[in-house]
Amino acid sequence: MNYKDMFRMDGEVALVVGGGSGIGQAAAEALAAQGARVVVADLRLEGAEETASRIQAAGGQAEAVQLDLVDHSAVRHRINNILTRYARLDTAVSTPSINVRKPLLEYTDEEFDRVLSVNLKGTFHLLTEAGRAMAHQGSGSLIAFSSIRSLVVEPGQGVYAATKAGTVQMIRALAAELGPKGVRANAIGPGVIDTPLTAPIKNQPDWYNAYAAKSVFGRWGKPEEVAGAVVFLASKAASYITGTIIFVDGGWTAVDGRFTPPL
């Protein structure tokens, strides 16, 4: 192992879905900073273009594409297009998620289907299509975004939490199935991170501050603080790591936090 280059990805190709904002944008920029050519995909093409422009302005290599993870044929086409153009796909990152916050007893079938369609089925589309390509080439890193909600829940998060736990189990299955082909599969579980998905909470100070207090650092995380985990799992530094989840949660899942006893 050349430790000086263990995080470098020169000559590699990475696909980041959801790269138009938040954690996806930070992940795309971080991978590009390590030398990867990044295909920035997002449902909003303008968001993907903004991220690609930021990468290019910093001297990196990137292109922007529109992609809806729910559309399986579109995902397959995008993967095939990457293989046609670059003859390889080294890293695939799936970040998109949606949430409908309401009690389970009030959920409609339509809302249930919508959350599962994006969070679980969409992730399945990317992981399987990218995984098939990587298995053929004999190498690659699949990275899916789960959440602290794969372990702990709160009222109104039941369906979202189920999708995030399901994502971890899919990752574990892929690690077992594709490991012999040289492909690694891992998940990242963010805590509370300032992103467009969590933006509505900032408008409710009590809620926002309560979440901040649950972290041992007393604050929310930033997208760039999650990007390091993406780079790690995509790089040679994680060559013997597969089938696991890395929590980037400021200690949320480690510390009880309800009461600090006098010591």
Side-chain angles (χ1 to χ4, degrees):
M1 174 72 76
N2 182 347
Y3 295 118
K4 290 180 62 177
D5 296 330
M6 66 193 306
F7 293 102
R8 294 297 303 174
M9 297 173 214
D10 302 284
E12 297 186 10
V13 177
L15 169 63
V16 179
V17 184
S21 64
I23 293 172
Q25 182 176 74
E29 293 186 39
L31 290 168
Q34 293 301 323
R37 178 186 294 274
V38 182
V39 179
V40 184
D42 201 280
L43 185 61
R44 294 173 49 255
L45 179 58
E46 59 270 28
E49 290 174 334
E50 177 189 347
T51 300
S53 295
R54 289 163 59 113
I55 291 172
Q56 292 163 357
Q61 303 176 81
E63 64 179 276
V65 298
Q66 192 278 336
L67 183 61
D68 181 0
L69 278 187
V70 176
D71 186 342
H72 198 163
S73 63
V75 175
R76 183 181 298 115
H77 172 77
R78 180 53 54 197
I79 298 296
N80 289 338
N81 180 263
I82 291 172
L83 295 175
T84 298
R85 295 186 63 186
Y86 305 117
R88 63 187 299 123
L89 176 60
D90 301 283
T91 299
V93 184
S94 177
T95 71
S97 290
I98 62 171
N99 191 9
V100 176
R101 290 180 178 271
K102 63 193 306 186
L104 278 171
L105 299 187
E106 297 178 11
Y107 246 83
T108 66
D109 281 355
E110 186 276 332
E111 289 166 338
F112 183 91
D113 290 343
R114 182 153 52 94
V115 175
L116 261 68
S117 182
V118 174
N119 298 7
L120 202 56
K121 197 171 185 179
T123 300
F124 163 78
H125 291 160
L126 181 65
L127 293 178
T128 53
E129 293 300 330
R132 186 173 290 109
M134 291 175 180
H136 179 73
Q137 73 186 15
S139 65
S141 175
L142 299 169
I143 303 171
F145 268 77
S146 179
S147 166
I148 56 172
R149 297 304 172 205
S150 65
L151 285 184
V152 294
V153 299
E154 65 182 6
Q157 294 270 48
V159 177
Y160 178 84
T163 66
K164 293 306 177 179
T167 295
V168 175
Q169 293 302 86
M170 279 200 299
I171 281 293
R172 287 172 174 155
L174 284 166
E177 294 166 2
L178 300 182
K181 303 286 188 180
V183 181
R184 297 182 293 109
N186 293 287
I188 294 173
V192 289
I193 310 295
D194 271 316
T195 69
L197 183 66
T198 57
I201 299 176
K202 298 185 76 169
N203 298 325
Q204 303 185 54
D206 289 345
W207 192 356
Y208 186 86
N209 293 332
Y211 274 9
K214 184 64 173 68
S215 161
V216 299
F217 302 124
R219 63 175 177 84
W220 283 52
K222 303 172 184 177
E224 55 266 33
E225 293 179 299
V226 186
V230 175
V231 170
F232 171 62
L233 290 175
S235 73
K236 294 181 289 292
S239 60
Y240 200 59
I241 297 176
T242 194
T244 194
I245 177 170
I246 295 178
F247 287 101
V248 186
D249 64 359
W252 185 298
T253 54
V255 181
D256 189 309
R258 290 173 297 181
F259 176 69
T260 302
L263 300 174

